[in-house]
């Protein structure tokens, strides 16, 4: 019996030991599992219980002009928040905060009593207000540093820059288009809590994970942008117009130097403006281009060799019937050369050119000039133009489109198309952002000039340029765009606005425009001016051309573009009390096909000084005169071929001298 009892006792002991060992093994195994295998997960869960992460506004990169002037930057400002559990008297706190930071007291009281452990009171508090709050509260109220977007030049280029909202999200303009690049990493406010979930203050919060975004260097020139906005404002106010816009770009590269809109808006206070004022009219608003379209029709005809500059077109004395429709000219004309069609801006002449060209060729060239698709500029919300499908183009459709009706473009599309005329026939992709750099200034990306396609030949571009230079002459519709010291090429436009309520056009509503470049032979800048819904006078040559002149003259001087005193006539009286400067364009029909440097010398004998000036201006000859009288002798003789650099003399009966110098 004793042996059996001993065996039973040892068995129980062994069982207990085994159970104890198994329990210890389970505990150790569970400990290993918790510490080694699942330690990170439980640590993260504990951190979530102990800490709270509140997202902050991102520290966006800066935006600079091409001159490296700051157009948009991010400032670190205080944002006010509350820990309601730390406040002894929430009603009193709401009353005090409402008085100090100008927030509705009931709204603050509601936030403090909504049961949340963290609430924002006001974002972006001034330094003075923040100090006043700190002086009043020891617990439960604190500040976090957040990035606030600031535009140091106010409304300058406001529609181009756009703005970022209170949450740091880009909402308009470049701020929206490049949001992902310039936003950076927002970061968060990390605060510790006790076992009851209360935030532990002071010193219990910190900002983590914030990385500044990349910065943009634009093609915009701050000074040219200022010039464009200043002169556009004057032009719109003088015309009593509804709105207007200006584009200045480099024809050779497609870089946009200025993009101005009126009325403006200040992105620092974007909430104070109507949403319509945020729009960048250059890319969002379409209009019928009117007479500015005629040169594209003529360029297509020249490229296809349908017509030559000197070919004559009968313009029907101002009334041209196509089926049941009638096309009118402002002034009645008979036979006009192709270049005169552009100079006097004949609707009938352009319509006949388009009809001779045909719908398929006209459509192809307009498409190649970029008028039926967005230009792909680096902005959001760009429109692509409006037109009827090609299969619906009747003769009246062709005629209307040829002189700028029945087709709608954005200002940027029109400017880019003219740039192709100016630069030798290359359609360039326009762009606003030149470089992207990181917060250390290192290059991340760079945009370079990009040729979309070759539209017309270099020779056609030269012919078109000479035609547009005649528009600026004394008999052209764009004479008010003349810039002293520089040859200018350009075209006026006056277009009716389609009615929004019915078919046809709205009575009394027009768009006046002018687009051109300078210097004409070596284009450095191209400028488009659009004046929308002026009152009274409606013509682009009267309203938009003077704005072009002011912007061009100031911009050329700013860029230090040397004057090209070509084709000038300087008239000085014998007493030196009068000085007149004018500019004229050579008559291409006078040039020999074999030698483009030769020109026929006019015969000035028997002409008065005034008649000499008139004839010389028609031939594009530069004249310097002193005195008065009738021409009795000249060298070289009339009818002889001279080279462009030759100098001629005309002797007047009053023994005065006239010096003739042909354009280089």
């Amino acid at each position: 019996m004793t042996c059996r009892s001993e065996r039973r006792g040892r068995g129980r002991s062994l069982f207990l030991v085994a159970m104890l060992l198994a329990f210890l093994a389970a505990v150790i195994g569970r400990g290993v599992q918790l510490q080694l295998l699942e330690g990170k997960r439980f640590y993260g869960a504990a951190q979530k219980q102990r800490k709270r992460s509140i997202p902050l506004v991102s520290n966006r990169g800066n935006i600079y002009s091409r001159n490296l002037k700051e157009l948009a930057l991010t400032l670190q400002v205080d944002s006010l928040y509350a820990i309601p559990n730390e406040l002894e008297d929430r009603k009193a706190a709401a009353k005090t905060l409402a008085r100090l930071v100008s927030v509705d007291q009931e709204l603050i009281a509601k936030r403090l009593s909504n049961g949340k452990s963290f609430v924002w009171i006001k974002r972006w508090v001034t330094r003075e207000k923040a100090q006043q709050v700190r002086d009043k509260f020891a617990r439960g109220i604190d500040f976090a540093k957040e990035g606030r977007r600031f535009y140091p030049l106010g409304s300058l280029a406001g529609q181009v820059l756009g703005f970022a909202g209170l949450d740091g999200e880009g909402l308009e303009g470049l701020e929206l288009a490049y949001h992902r690049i310039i936003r950076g990493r927002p970061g968060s406010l990390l605060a510790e809590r006790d076992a009851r979930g209360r935030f532990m203050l002071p010193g219990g919060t910190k900002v983590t994970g914030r990385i500044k975004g990349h910065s943009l260097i634009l093609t915009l020139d701050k000074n040219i942008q200022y010039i464009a906005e200043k002169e556009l404002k004057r032009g719109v106010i003088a015309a009593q117009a509804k709105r207007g816009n200006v584009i200045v770009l480099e024809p050779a590269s497609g870089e946009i130097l200025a993009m101005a809109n009126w009325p403006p808006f200040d992105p620092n206070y974007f909430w104070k403006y109507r949403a319509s004022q945020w729009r960048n009219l250059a890319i969002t608003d379409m209009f019928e281009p009117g007479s500015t379209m005629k040169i594209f029709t003529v360029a297509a005809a020249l490229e296809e060799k349908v017509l030559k500059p000197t070919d004559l077109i009968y313009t029907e004395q101002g009334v041209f019937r196509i089926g049941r429709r009638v096309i009118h000219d402002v002034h009645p004309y008979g036979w006009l050369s192709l270049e005169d069609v552009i100079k006097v801006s004949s609707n009938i002449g352009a319509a006949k050119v388009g009809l001779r060209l045909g719908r398929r060729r006209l459509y192809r060239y307009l498409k190649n000039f970029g008028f039926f698709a967005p230009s792909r500029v680096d902005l959001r919300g760009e429109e692509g133009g409006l037109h009827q499908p090609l299969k619906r183009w009747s003769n009246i459709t062709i005629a209307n489109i040829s002189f700028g009706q029945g087709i709608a473009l954005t200002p940027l599309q029109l400017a880019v198309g003219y740039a192709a005329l100016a630069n030798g026939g290359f359609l360039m992709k326009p762009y606003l952002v030149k470089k992207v750099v990181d917060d250390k200034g290192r290059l991340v990306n760079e945009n370079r000039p990009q040729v979309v396609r070759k539209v017309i030949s270099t020779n056609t571009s030269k012919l078109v340029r000479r035609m547009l230079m005649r528009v600026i002459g004394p008999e052209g519709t764009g004479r008010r765009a003349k810039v002293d010291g520089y040859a200018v090429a350009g075209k006026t436009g006056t277009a009716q606005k389609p009615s929004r309520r019915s078919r046809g056009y709205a009575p009394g509503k027009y768009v006046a425009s002018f687009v051109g470049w300078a210097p004409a032979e070596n284009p450095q800048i191209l400028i488009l001016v659009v004046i929308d819904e002026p009152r009274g006078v409606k013509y682009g040559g009267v309203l938009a051309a003077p704005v072009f002149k002011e912007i061009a003259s100031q911009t050329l001087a700013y860029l230090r573009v040397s004057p090209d005193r070509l084709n000038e006539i300087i008239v000085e009286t014998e007493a030196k009390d009068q000085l007149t400067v004018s500019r004229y364009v050579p008559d291409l029909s006078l040039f020999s096909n074999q030698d483009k440097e030769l020109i026929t010398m006019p015969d000035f004998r028997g002409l008065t000084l005034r008649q000499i000036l008139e004839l010389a201006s028609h031939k594009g000859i530069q004249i310097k005169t002193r005195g008065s009288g009738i021409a009795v002798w000249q060298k070289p003789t009339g009818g002889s071929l001279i080279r462009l650099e030759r100098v001629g003399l005309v002797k007047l009966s009053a023994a005065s001298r006239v010096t003739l110098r042909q354009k280089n």
Side-chain angles (χ1 to χ4, degrees):
M1 292 293 294
T2 301
C3 292
R4 184 178 298 176
S5 297
E6 291 177 354
R7 287 197 298 272
R8 288 178 179 174
R10 284 197 299 271
R12 290 191 187 98
S13 298
L14 291 173
F15 176 75
L16 292 173
V17 170
M19 291 295 293
L20 180 60
L21 292 174
F23 176 75
L24 291 173
V27 171
I28 294 171
R30 181 59 174 167
V32 170
Q33 179 186 15
L34 293 176
Q35 291 293 327
L36 299 181
L37 300 181
E38 299 187 49
K40 291 183 178 180
R41 182 172 66 87
F42 283 106
Y43 177 78
Q47 290 292 94
K48 288 182 180 179
Q49 291 179 353
R50 189 169 63 91
K51 298 181 179 181
R52 179 176 174 181
S53 178
I54 298 104
L56 299 176
V57 176
S58 60
N59 193 7
R60 298 171 73 84
N62 296 343
I63 301 179
Y64 300 93
S65 71
R66 70 189 298 128
N67 332 71
L68 297 183
K69 303 296 183 181
E70 290 176 329
L71 301 177
L73 61 151
T74 300
L75 302 178
Q76 293 301 309
V77 296
D78 289 318
S79 286
L80 174 63
Y81 66 87
I83 310 300
N85 292 335
E86 297 289 336
L87 296 171
E88 296 180 359
D89 189 340
R90 298 180 186 178
K91 290 185 178 180
K95 183 177 180 180
T96 302
L97 289 172
R99 176 174 54 85
L100 292 177
V101 298
S102 302
V103 178
D104 184 70
Q105 181 178 340
E106 293 184 3
L107 178 61
I108 297 177
K110 184 178 180 180
R111 290 177 180 176
L112 294 179
S113 60
N114 62 9
K116 295 183 178 180
S117 57
F118 176 98
V119 292
W120 289 109
I121 301 299
K122 186 174 183 179
R123 316 293 279 269
W124 305 347
V125 179
T126 65
R127 188 175 303 175
E128 294 77 11
K129 294 291 185 182
Q131 188 57 51
Q132 293 175 12
V133 172
R134 289 189 176 98
D135 293 341
K136 290 289 185 180
F137 293 90
R139 291 172 56 84
I141 299 294
D142 206 347
F143 295 87
K145 290 291 184 182
E146 286 195 291
R148 178 181 180 179
R149 207 58 166 161
F150 177 62
Y151 304 89
L153 299 182
S155 63
L156 191 79
Q159 285 89 349
V160 178
L161 298 174
F163 56 87
L166 296 177
D167 57 357
E169 295 291 311
L171 299 178
E172 289 286 341
L174 290 169
E175 294 276 27
L176 172 61
Y178 283 83
H179 174 67
R180 292 185 178 181
I181 292 175
I182 64 178
R183 69 172 299 191
R185 185 182 297 171
S188 58
L189 180 68
L190 193 63
E192 296 186 359
R193 297 187 289 190
D194 61 15
R196 295 185 179 182
R198 298 176 300 184
F199 281 83
M200 296 184 294
L201 293 172
T205 62
K206 64 178 181 178
V207 177
T208 62
R210 177 178 285 171
I211 298 177
K212 186 173 182 178
H214 294 328
S215 295
L216 307 180
I217 299 176
L218 307 185
T219 62
L220 286 185
D221 187 296
K222 177 182 73 72
N223 298 312
I224 299 176
Q225 181 73 27
Y226 171 76
I227 292 169
E229 291 190 9
K230 177 188 65 173
E231 297 304 331
L232 175 63
K233 176 182 177 180
R234 289 181 180 177
V236 172
I237 292 175
Q240 302 180 58
K242 187 175 182 180
R243 62 178 69 89
N245 61 86
V246 165
I247 298 172
V248 184
L249 56 79
E250 286 184 353
S253 66
E255 292 187 3
I256 298 173
L257 303 178
M259 188 176 276
N261 293 269
W262 182 267
F265 93 100
D266 188 342
N268 289 303
Y269 308 100
F270 63 87
W271 57 87
K272 295 183 179 181
Y273 296 83
R274 297 187 303 272
S276 60
Q277 289 181 260
W278 302 344
R279 294 201 320 266
N280 187 344
L281 305 178
I283 65 169
T284 62
D285 285 27
M286 295 178 289
F287 70 106
E288 292 194 356
S291 295
T292 55
M293 177 62 65
K294 293 172 183 174
I295 194 63
F296 297 103
T297 305
V298 169
L302 292 172
E303 185 71 15
E304 291 293 311
K305 296 180 171 52
V306 172
L307 291 164
K308 299 189 297 296
T310 53
D311 285 348
L312 296 178
I313 299 170
Y314 185 61
T315 57
E316 309 287 342
Q317 297 298 325
V319 180
F320 180 43
R321 184 176 297 277
I322 300 179
R324 293 180 297 176
R325 303 292 181 89
V326 178
I327 298 173
H328 297 275
D329 276 338
V330 176
H331 302 288
Y333 296 104
W335 289 97
L336 293 175
S337 66
L338 184 61
E339 54 194 5
D340 283 337
V341 166
I342 294 299
K343 184 181 76 171
V344 302
S345 198
S346 168
N347 293 336
I348 296 172
K352 287 193 171 185
V353 173
L355 290 170
R356 190 174 301 187
L357 190 63
R359 66 174 185 171
R360 294 190 181 278
R361 285 189 292 191
L362 179 60
Y363 179 91
R364 185 174 77 250
Y365 276 92
L366 296 183
K367 181 179 179 180
N368 287 341
F369 274 112
F371 296 152
F372 299 154
S375 69
R376 296 188 297 120
V377 68
D378 40 355
L379 288 170
R380 299 280 185 89
E382 183 186 14
E383 295 290 347
L386 290 174
H387 67 284
Q388 291 187 13
L390 177 60
K391 62 182 180 181
R392 295 177 58 186
W393 283 28
S394 63
N395 283 342
I396 189 62
T397 304
I398 296 171
N400 286 338
I401 289 177
S402 296
F403 61 83
Q405 285 189 348
I407 183 173
L409 312 175
T410 66
L412 184 59
Q413 284 179 306
L414 185 60
V416 171
Y418 265 82
L421 298 175
N423 66 23
F426 297 95
L427 186 73
M428 305 299 297
K429 180 180 179 293
Y431 59 101
L432 279 160
V433 175
K434 195 174 184 69
K435 295 180 182 179
V436 178
V437 297
D438 64 15
D439 60 342
K440 304 296 183 183
R442 295 171 297 200
L443 183 65
V444 175
N445 187 37
E446 183 175 9
N447 289 324
R448 297 181 180 276
Q450 180 180 335
V451 177
V452 179
R453 67 181 71 90
K454 177 78 168 175
V455 185
I456 56 175
S457 66
T458 303
N459 184 59
T460 299
S461 176
K462 290 180 179 179
L463 294 175
V464 166
R465 180 189 309 154
R466 298 293 178 87
M467 291 182 179
L468 293 177
M469 289 171 71
R470 296 190 68 191
V471 174
I472 315 301
E475 297 177 356
T477 59
R479 54 188 176 275
R480 289 179 176 87
K482 184 180 69 171
V483 179
D484 290 343
Y486 299 90
V488 174
K491 185 71 185 73
T492 58
T494 306
Q496 294 175 276
K497 295 189 68 173
S499 174
R500 294 184 177 182
R501 298 181 180 180
S502 61
R503 298 182 64 181
Y505 293 93
K509 292 187 177 182
Y510 293 86
V511 177
S513 61
F514 183 89
V515 55
W517 65 84
E521 300 288 349
N522 181 28
Q524 299 297 306
I525 55 170
L526 181 140
I527 304 171
L528 168 67
V529 180
V530 178
I531 307 293
D532 190 8
E533 292 191 23
R535 293 184 181 181
V537 179
K538 61 188 178 183
Y539 298 110
V542 177
L543 301 178
V547 178
F548 169 93
K549 173 184 178 178
E550 293 300 324
I551 296 173
S553 60
Q554 295 174 55
T555 301
L556 290 168
Y558 164 70
L559 295 175
R560 298 183 179 180
V561 177
S562 299
D564 57 9
R565 301 277 178 179
L566 302 179
N567 297 330
E568 290 184 350
I569 297 180
I570 301 176
V571 181
E572 187 176 77
T573 66
E574 198 165 16
K576 298 185 179 180
D577 59 0
Q578 179 180 353
L579 184 68
T580 305
V581 180
S582 305
R583 181 177 301 105
Y584 297 93
V585 181
D587 186 344
L588 292 181
S589 64
L590 298 178
F591 283 82
S592 166
N593 291 330
Q594 289 74 29
D595 190 345
K596 294 295 184 182
E597 293 184 347
L598 296 180
I599 187 171
T600 304
M601 170 62 76
D603 188 353
F604 294 105
R605 292 175 300 172
L607 301 181
T608 65
L609 180 57
R610 181 174 180 178
Q611 291 171 328
I612 292 172
L613 292 174
E614 290 176 349
L615 180 57
S617 68
H618 181 67
K619 302 303 182 184
I621 298 174
Q622 175 178 299
I623 298 181
K624 292 183 179 181
T625 70
R626 184 184 301 276
S628 60
I630 298 174
V632 295
W633 172 85
Q634 76 176 74
K635 179 183 179 181
T637 59
S640 60
L641 292 176
I642 62 170
R643 294 193 177 276
L644 301 183
E645 67 272 15
R646 285 284 298 274
V647 175
L649 298 177
V650 175
K651 186 177 180 181
L652 299 176
S653 59
S656 299
R657 172 174 288 188
V658 176
T659 302
L660 307 178
R661 180 174 295 115
Q662 177 59 38
K663 160 184 174 305
N664 287 322

